[in-house]
Amino acid sequence: MTIFQQIIDGNIPADKVFEDERAIAFRDIQPQAPIHILVIPKKPIVSLADASEEDRDLMGHLMLVAAQVARSEGIDEAGYRVVTNIGREGGQSVDHIHLHVLGGRQMGWPPG
Ligand code: 5GP
């Protein structure tokens, strides 16, 4: 079981900023920017590479939750970044799909 599943199940605490029937968003434990929030579905999908046609709506929902969280954190006007890491070379460390919402500082490009 992943650490995110344990957060969904309420077995380990998280600093939640959003929750509905399909998704939750919470602050990253090791923030890489002044605002660093993770948006995850309650459905246990490993990564974007594992999302299927039946997840189309859910994937769109996660993106809209990311935008909503950015607004409520007050970083939408300055701008921010939404990223999902996939697999080993993508830098994924938790096998439950998640969107990183990063903001509150100037982002660099290309990412590391
Ligand atoms: P990934 O490297 O898979 O793209 O991102 C996983 C993220 O989850 C990392 O940024 C890491 O800091 C965060 N993370 C790992 N364990 C926990 C935890 O127990 N609680 C919270 N809030 N974040 C976690």
Side-chain angles (χ1 to χ4, degrees), residues 3-4 7 12 26-30 36 38 85 91-94 98 100:
I3 197 92
F4 291 174
I7 288 172
I12 68 162
F26 51 93
R27 295 188 195 283
D28 198 293
I29 206 168
Q30 217 180 325
H36 186 174
L38 302 171
N85 297 326
Q92 184 175 5
S93 62
V94 178
H98 46 284
H100 295 261

Side-chain angles (χ1 to χ4, degrees), residues 18-93:
F18 174 91
E19 179 163 17
D20 69 8
E21 68 285 1
R22 289 187 286 174
I24 62 173
F26 51 93
R27 295 188 195 283
D28 198 293
I29 206 168
Q30 217 180 325
Q32 301 300 315
I35 304 294
H36 186 174
I37 289 164
L38 302 171
V39 179
I40 71 172
K42 291 184 175 175
K43 179 178 177 180
I45 299 166
V46 172
S47 80
L48 185 60
D50 297 279
S52 61
E53 189 58 37
E54 71 176 26
D55 302 316
R56 181 178 292 274
D57 269 13
L58 180 58
M59 295 299 102
H61 183 62
L62 296 181
M63 292 295 278
L64 293 180
V65 169
Q68 185 176 327
V69 162
R71 273 195 299 278
S72 64
E73 293 292 320
I75 55 173
D76 55 319
E77 284 192 16
Y80 57 96
R81 183 166 292 168
V82 176
V83 64
T84 187
N85 297 326
I86 298 149
R88 184 172 47 84
E89 290 202 356
Q92 184 175 5
S93 62

